[in-house]
């Protein structure tokens, strides 16, 4: 598989852990995707739209022959098959699958922006990402991940 990507998973409705684990199974089952590494599962305080229940978040590393857009399509299909519900845009959801990084590419389109535009302000993404790759460099971020994690005020919201 010639491409490397990092995917963030999140859930805060229903059997959250089951949604995450089923999503990873479906990703692994895809013939053109291999799951290379998975972070721990973190329980996290909601950020942004805070009037909702706690999330379970994690990050996985995958290798794939798919383009970033085809990978996005597969992830969106998995969200739908795991009864993705999102009544409010930033509100509670059964499952969220976000492409964080795709190789070291910068992709800016209506459909997909990579690196994920809000990842640098999300401890619930950076902490699991750092767990599985301490030395990862993010094209749009100069500082080391550990510095940013230390600066994030909500890191205590991740456990
Ligand atoms: N802790 C936490 N807060 C969040 N706020 C939003 S929106 N989301 C959904 C992100 O796509 C989350 C999340 O996954 N975890």
């Amino acid at each position: 598989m010639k491409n490397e990507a990092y995917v963030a998973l999140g859930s805060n409705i229903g059997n959250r852990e089951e949604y995450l684990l089923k999503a990873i199974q479906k990703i692994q089952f895809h013939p053109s995707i291999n799951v290379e590494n998975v972070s721990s599962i973190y329980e996290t305080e909601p950020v942004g739209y805070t009037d909702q229940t706690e999330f379970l978040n994690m990050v996985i590393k995958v290798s794939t022959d798919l383009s970033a857009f085809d990978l996005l399509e597969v992830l969106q299909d998995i969200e739908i098959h795991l009864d993705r519900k999102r009544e409010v845009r930033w509100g509670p959801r059964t499952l969220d699958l976000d492409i964080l990084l795709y190789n070291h590419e910068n992709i800016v389109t209506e459909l997909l922006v990579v690196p994920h535009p809000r990842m640098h302000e999300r401890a619930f993404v950076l902490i699991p990402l750092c767990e599985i790759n301490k030395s990862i460099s993010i094209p749009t971020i100069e500082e080391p991940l550990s510095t940013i994690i230390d600066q994030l005020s909500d890191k205590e919201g991740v456990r």
Side-chain angles (χ1 to χ4, degrees), residues 4-6 61 101 103-104 119 126 129-130 132-139 141 143-145:
E4 200 175 85
Y6 288 84
K61 177 182 177 183
L101 300 165
N103 297 327
H104 288 280
M119 67 181 287
L126 297 181
L129 176 60
C130 203
I132 58 176
N133 186 333
K134 295 220 175 325
S135 58
I136 194 157
S137 70
I138 299 171
I141 297 178
E143 295 170 292
L145 271 192

Side-chain angles (χ1 to χ4, degrees), residues 44-47 55 57 90 93 96 98 122 124:
T44 64
E45 299 292 330
V47 298
F55 282 81
N57 287 109
W90 303 108
R93 65 280 316 277
D96 226 13
D98 290 328
R122 291 177 161 180
F124 67 80

Side-chain angles (χ1 to χ4, degrees), residues 21-153:
L21 298 179
K22 278 188 174 166
I24 294 170
Q25 275 174 356
K26 288 179 176 290
I27 292 169
Q28 176 59 40
F29 189 70
H30 192 286
S32 301
I33 306 175
N34 191 50
V35 176
E36 303 287 347
N37 202 346
V38 298
S39 75
S40 310
I41 295 178
Y42 293 80
E43 183 151 59
T44 64
E45 299 292 330
V47 298
Y49 183 79
T50 53
D51 181 19
Q52 57 182 323
T53 50
E54 291 184 327
F55 282 81
L56 292 186
N57 287 109
M58 65 189 302
V59 169
I60 63 172
K61 177 182 177 183
V62 301
S63 56
T64 181
D65 290 331
L66 300 176
S67 71
F69 294 94
D70 289 340
L71 176 61
L72 175 69
E73 207 172 304
V74 168
L75 298 177
Q76 288 173 335
D77 285 349
I78 291 171
E79 284 179 337
I80 292 165
H81 281 93
L82 289 175
D83 33 300
R84 161 80 176 209
K85 285 185 186 61
R86 182 168 64 170
E87 281 68 34
V88 180
R89 177 155 190 235
W90 303 108
R93 65 280 316 277
T94 51
L95 181 66
D96 226 13
L97 300 174
D98 290 328
I99 300 175
L100 299 173
L101 300 165
Y102 184 87
N103 297 327
H104 288 280
E105 296 179 25
N106 269 306
I107 302 169
V108 182
T109 66
E110 284 282 301
L111 211 53
L112 180 63
V113 177
V114 176
H116 189 286
R118 289 175 294 283
M119 67 181 287
H120 59 286
E121 59 199 30
R122 291 177 161 180
F124 67 80
V125 165
L126 297 181
I127 290 175
L129 176 60
C130 203
E131 179 192 335
I132 58 176
N133 186 333
K134 295 220 175 325
S135 58
I136 194 157
S137 70
I138 299 171
T140 51
I141 297 178
E142 276 74 50
E143 295 170 292
L145 271 192
S146 51
T147 309
I148 298 175
I149 288 170
D150 286 344
Q151 289 163 351
L152 280 171
S153 57

